[in-house]
Amino acid sequence: MSLPVHRSGELDPAERGRGFGRAWREQVRRSYAGYAELFAAVGASGIRGWSEQAYAETAAWAPALAEEIAGVAEGCGLPEWQVAALNARTEILAAAASNGEGECSTSVVLPGTGLAPRTVQTWDWHDTLGDGMVIWSLEPRAGHRVHTFTEFGVLGKIGVNSAGLGVHFNVLRHVRDSADIGVPVHVVARRILDEASTVGEAVAIAGSARLSASSLITVATFDGERGEVRGLELSPAGVAELEPDGTGIFLHTNHFLDAELSAGERTTEAESSTYQRLALLRRRTHGLFSDDPTDRARALHAHHADGAPVCAHADPALPAHRRWQTLATLTLDLAAARLGVHDGGPCGVSAQSWQWTPAARRATAPKS
């Protein structure tokens, strides 16, 4: 099944937001209603105050993106703070000290000179929010195109831009996460897509944000000759840069790998499969090196019976806020600057199931 696609031509951020909000009025409103139920289920209180603080932090750090949030709210007829809450959902859940079983497994491989990085990830989230996915193609400035997979009302998440820079996204949890709400991590990911063309520029953007919740933003680039990848572990305790191993492989799930930040790890082995998933990925690197995105996705085809639920399926016996499912499988084609999305987990991927955005740059022919 194809995901909804929204293509924005507006260069003005407020107008771009209004256009999105008008086009997807009911979907954005349902998205907020779904998150309001999730927030209530995990005991989050003070949602409006936290959301208004997140909006204020966004306005100070990325004014254009705050204008876009306000535009979405105006377009769909929601109060501004409710659309701000969607963009700050990670911060609100962190403030409520909510934990979870899963959330995403990412692989980026550097195959060698002249070849673009080969990427794939799962996006795991609550099955009750599975109808909230959307692909948004936009132009934040003239000549710079962004394709992002996100949720209705959220400005960005996983994506790629026409400079050949892409981002993958995994949640992390740190003891320093707090209710002193900072810049939303989803806003950080979107600003990187809007403004950065190199890993160094992405690092500078991420490092300039005051954060209250943790996440991993994996930044990969390809300039037509050379690929690069860095994993940016973002936390209120600091930002760590992780490099690929000596064979060009970068793997990450949902726990800190940096030695200093991992000392404040809040996710435990008893409550999450993150450690088992990372170990399984390390056993499947052959498939992750493939130049075929379907082969890479199949390397993520693993359930509990295989040793780790990289491909997660919701248990209907559990309450909604404790049910996790792989809602999407994603890959980035950095040579052509396009995003590929499969609606569902790796166990359903086929060569025909990918939904691709248009190329945003001229593809570079791979060198043999």
Side-chain angles (χ1 to χ4, degrees), residues 75 83 85 94 102 107 117 129 141 147 176 182 205 216 227 249 260 264 305 315 323-324 350 352 363:
V83 177
S107 166
L129 298 169
R141 63 178 186 274
H147 299 304
R176 291 278 298 278
I205 290 169
L216 171 81
I249 300 172
E260 291 188 13
D315 181 351
R323 296 203 302 265
W324 300 86
S350 69
Q352 295 74 40

Side-chain angles (χ1 to χ4, degrees), residues 312-334:
H313 295 266
D315 181 351
L318 294 174
H321 68 284
R322 293 181 57 202
R323 296 203 302 265
W324 300 86
Q325 184 154 316
T326 301
L327 299 178
T329 309
L330 303 105
T331 186
L332 306 178
D333 176 357
L334 297 177

Side-chain angles (χ1 to χ4, degrees), residues 14 135 166 229 295 300 324 337 340:
I135 298 170
V229 61
D295 288 343
L300 304 183
W324 300 86

Side-chain angles (χ1 to χ4, degrees), residues 109-112 114-120 285-297 299 331-335 338 354 356 366-368:
V109 172
L110 303 180
L115 298 173
R118 295 166 181 170
T119 90
V120 67
T285 55
H286 177 75
L288 298 172
F289 263 98
S290 175
D291 62 357
D292 182 345
T294 303
D295 288 343
R296 297 198 295 272
T331 186
L332 306 178
D333 176 357
L334 297 177
R338 60 181 188 149
W354 292 106
W356 291 96
K367 296 183 179 181
S368 58

Side-chain angles (χ1 to χ4, degrees), residues 134-173:
V134 63
I135 298 170
W136 191 357
S137 294
L138 58 115
E139 197 169 354
R141 63 178 186 274
H144 183 82
R145 176 61 57 177
V146 168
H147 299 304
T148 182
F149 164 87
T150 187
E151 301 168 82
F152 285 109
V154 180
L155 298 191
K157 193 188 302 288
I158 299 153
V160 64
N161 68 29
S162 52
L165 178 144
V167 300
H168 286 284
F169 198 94
N170 299 47
V171 75
L172 299 171
R173 298 175 179 90

Side-chain angles (χ1 to χ4, degrees), residues 23 33 45 61 88 97 150 153 161 164 245-246 252 257 329 333 340-341 353:
S45 59
W61 186 73
T150 187
N161 68 29
D245 69 15
H252 212 297
L257 300 181
T329 309
D333 176 357
V341 183
S353 69

Side-chain angles (χ1 to χ4, degrees), residues 16-26 28 71-77:
R16 181 165 56 244
R18 281 191 288 270
F20 187 97
R22 286 193 295 264
W24 304 101
R25 174 185 173 90
E26 293 309 314
V28 178
V72 172
E74 181 181 342
C76 74

Side-chain angles (χ1 to χ4, degrees), residues 7 22 59 79 92 109 111 140 143 151 175 191 216 231 252 265 270 275-276 284 290 299 303-304 339 343:
R7 296 182 176 90
R22 286 193 295 264
I92 292 170
V109 172
E151 301 168 82
V175 295
R191 185 174 171 185
L216 171 81
H252 212 297
E265 180 66 61
Y275 299 94
Q276 290 77 22
R284 299 214 174 163
S290 175
H303 300 119
H304 276 291
L339 169 69
D343 182 4

